Amino acid sequence: MLQRPAGTRTVVVKEPVGPAVAFCPWNFPILNPARKIAPALAAGCSMIVKPPEEAPGSAIEVVRCFIDAGLPNGVLGMVFGVPDTVSRHLIASPVIRKISFTGSVPVGKHLMKLAADGMKRTTMELGGHSPVLVFDDCDFEKTVPMLAAAKFRNAGQVCVSPTRFYVQEGIYDRFAKAFVEHVGKINLGSGLDAATGMGPLANPRRPDAIEAMVNEATGVGARLAAGGERSGGGGFFYRPTVLLDVPLEARIMNEEPFGPVAMMRPFKTLDDAVEQANRLPYGLAAYCFTENGRRQLLLGDAIESGMIGINPVGMSAVDAPFGGVKDSGHGSEDGPEGLDAFLVTKAIHQG
């Protein structure tokens, strides 16, 4: 066994990775800048934030809070402009040592290619297509309303939104009926109205994209059980939609819809459910509902996802990592892992 020579030692320390840049999406315009800025500053890194074009005001106010609190000049900056121009300029700069991005898979891969030229570290929180596995021993009365609320939160414009519902065949019809009943109670309207349960989509592109996916799915055999149309009166509203018996070849079963659509299919066995959950290249979040403890352990091991909710639907916790695997990205935000993402490890050998 090798022994360290007498009079020597090795010290391992953590140091700030250096100046960082954050690219934020529009769907959580306060949370996303905050969860990138906070660990960077806590680790000792400066940061430049590029807010989303659709919702820059919230990010501006987040940065203003740091300025009002006395943060020194130059530690936290913000830049606006054409996304591609800004990202190419910042990532190419030799000053920037870390990139944090939340957004789509194609854009994330593009930014990673830019970062590779400078061997710069990245945290990528990319898209998902979250499977939901509902077993016949679930707490039915609790599971149905919980999933209906989670699915249509923010009109489904959430990266961890429950999307592909696989329901064990013994309760499939009952679950679908109860789920549709809950969806029928969701009031569509202005977020300024206390009675509203779901608001509009983010921009004029989103209703067009959802409409095309739903129409394609019904065209290949899916059954429309709720919604499936825009709301009258203008705006970017699309009704909460439920599709049943959706064929696997439908686009919406393979591409993230990022909108108010739930797709359902029955399954027979645990192996069938896991196969469907892992079928796509995404791996951000997955949900399982079962009261069987042994099955819970098996699902936790078998499902390829950065985050798994077994009976709850909450995926964000201050003390737990938030991030995905496969095409859904790498690295983590939140928790100790989110802080570690802005640190590098240095070994100092002394003798």
Side-chain angles (χ1 to χ4, degrees), residues 279-332:
R279 182 176 63 87
L280 299 184
Y282 304 104
L284 186 58
Y287 303 88
C288 310
F289 293 85
T290 175
E291 295 298 303
N292 184 302
R294 172 63 175 165
R295 182 183 289 147
Q296 292 176 6
L297 293 175
L298 292 171
L299 290 166
D301 289 342
I303 293 178
E304 298 169 353
S305 181
M307 298 172 286
I308 303 174
I310 300 180
N311 293 330
V313 293
M315 287 293 171
S316 294
V318 67
D319 57 351
F322 187 100
V325 296
K326 302 196 292 189
D327 273 12
S328 290
H330 58 254
S332 298

Side-chain angles (χ1 to χ4, degrees), residues 34-50:
R35 74 186 337 172
K36 295 179 185 300
I37 295 170
L41 299 186
C45 301
S46 60
M47 174 170 272
I48 298 173
V49 178
K50 162 65 175 68

Side-chain angles (χ1 to χ4, degrees), residues 1-348:
M1 179 177 177
L2 294 177
Q3 293 185 352
R4 181 180 302 280
T8 68
R9 69 172 182 169
T10 297
V11 179
V12 179
V13 298
K14 298 278 191 176
E15 294 184 342
V17 67
V21 59
F23 300 100
C24 304
W26 47 262
N27 58 339
F28 288 89
I30 292 177
L31 174 63
N32 277 308
R35 74 186 337 172
K36 295 179 185 300
I37 295 170
L41 299 186
C45 301
S46 60
M47 174 170 272
I48 298 173
V49 178
K50 162 65 175 68
E53 310 89 83
E54 295 92 341
S58 297
I60 291 172
E61 294 306 314
V62 170
V63 171
R64 193 190 305 276
C65 288
F66 283 97
I67 294 173
D68 291 346
L71 192 71
N73 289 336
V75 174
L76 179 61
M78 179 170 283
V79 63
F80 304 90
V82 178
D84 187 58
T85 303
V86 172
S87 60
R88 288 180 184 274
H89 177 79
L90 289 176
I91 295 175
S93 169
V95 174
I96 299 298
R97 299 309 311 160
K98 162 78 180 183
I99 295 96
S100 180
F101 171 75
T102 299
S104 70
V105 173
V107 174
K109 290 182 176 181
H110 167 68
L111 296 183
M112 283 185 65
K113 291 175 182 177
L114 297 178
D117 286 339
M119 290 297 293
K120 298 181 180 183
R121 293 176 58 178
T122 59
T123 294
M124 293 285 161
E125 196 264 277
L126 308 182
H129 204 326
S130 302
V132 185
L133 310 185
V134 182
F135 291 84
D136 57 12
D137 69 336
C138 71
D139 184 338
F140 192 91
E141 301 304 323
K142 179 181 178 181
T143 299
V144 174
M146 183 190 304
L147 281 173
K151 168 65 257 183
F152 298 102
R153 177 176 68 121
N154 287 15
Q157 299 169 121
V158 181
C159 56
V160 295
S161 178
T163 302
R164 296 179 288 140
F165 289 70
Y166 300 100
V167 184
Q168 200 154 24
E169 57 185 10
I171 62 168
Y172 178 72
D173 291 338
R174 179 186 172 209
F175 182 91
K177 180 182 178 182
F179 190 89
V180 169
E181 288 177 354
H182 275 275
V183 170
K185 299 174 184 177
I186 298 175
N187 293 318
L188 189 64
S190 167
L192 300 178
D193 186 344
T196 294
M198 193 185 91
L201 300 182
N203 54 56
R205 302 187 303 275
R206 299 310 308 149
D208 291 343
I210 297 300
E211 185 174 58
M213 281 187 156
V214 170
N215 290 342
E216 192 271 345
T218 56
V220 297
R223 292 192 292 125
L224 181 64
E229 61 183 1
R230 300 172 189 243
S231 173
F236 310 146
F237 293 93
Y238 195 91
R239 296 192 182 282
T241 299
V242 182
L243 296 172
L244 303 180
D245 306 334
V246 188
L248 293 179
E249 63 268 23
R251 272 185 58 214
I252 203 166
M253 289 296 285
N254 298 280
E255 300 175 19
E256 181 182 23
F258 213 66
V261 187
M263 300 86 72
M264 293 189 192
R265 287 179 57 88
F267 72 86
K268 291 184 179 181
T269 68
L270 182 144
D271 287 344
D272 295 335
V274 171
E275 179 183 4
Q276 290 305 313
N278 293 341
R279 182 176 63 87
L280 299 184
Y282 304 104
L284 186 58
Y287 303 88
C288 310
F289 293 85
T290 175
E291 295 298 303
N292 184 302
R294 172 63 175 165
R295 182 183 289 147
Q296 292 176 6
L297 293 175
L298 292 171
L299 290 166
D301 289 342
I303 293 178
E304 298 169 353
S305 181
M307 298 172 286
I308 303 174
I310 300 180
N311 293 330
V313 293
M315 287 293 171
S316 294
V318 67
D319 57 351
F322 187 100
V325 296
K326 302 196 292 189
D327 273 12
S328 290
H330 58 254
S332 298
E333 295 183 315
D334 301 343
E337 294 83 358
L339 177 64
D340 198 56
F342 289 90
L343 297 170
V344 294
T345 302
K346 176 186 286 185
I348 304 172

